[in-house]
Amino acid sequence: MSTMNQTQNLPLGAITVHRLVSFFETARGQVADYYARQRTAAALRRLSNAQLDDIGLTPGDVEDIAIGRF
């Protein structure tokens, strides 16, 4: 038996359009993640050191969360 490879010819520029759409979707997701981290960090900054300790965090952890390293 032989295996037959099927290739599909796409319209000129379809791959470029797909890459652009993917780029903007990724960028939108990254921006949304950034703002979510900033909101979370802002809420955590309002907590006292004792409250942070209760949830297993330190003030330094809050900054790590804000920049996405946590």
Side-chain angles (χ1 to χ4, degrees), residues 19-65:
R19 287 179 180 164
L20 281 171
V21 169
S22 294
F23 169 79
F24 285 111
E25 285 177 345
T26 300
R28 182 181 60 93
Q30 290 174 343
V31 169
D33 289 346
Y34 169 80
Y35 283 112
R37 284 193 311 272
Q38 294 304 310
R39 285 191 304 273
T40 300
L44 290 171
R45 284 185 195 106
R46 290 191 292 271
L47 299 178
S48 69
N49 287 342
Q51 291 170 318
L52 286 173
D53 189 46
D54 285 344
I55 60 174
L57 295 175
T58 65
D61 293 335
V62 173
E63 296 312 312
D64 287 342
I65 290 169

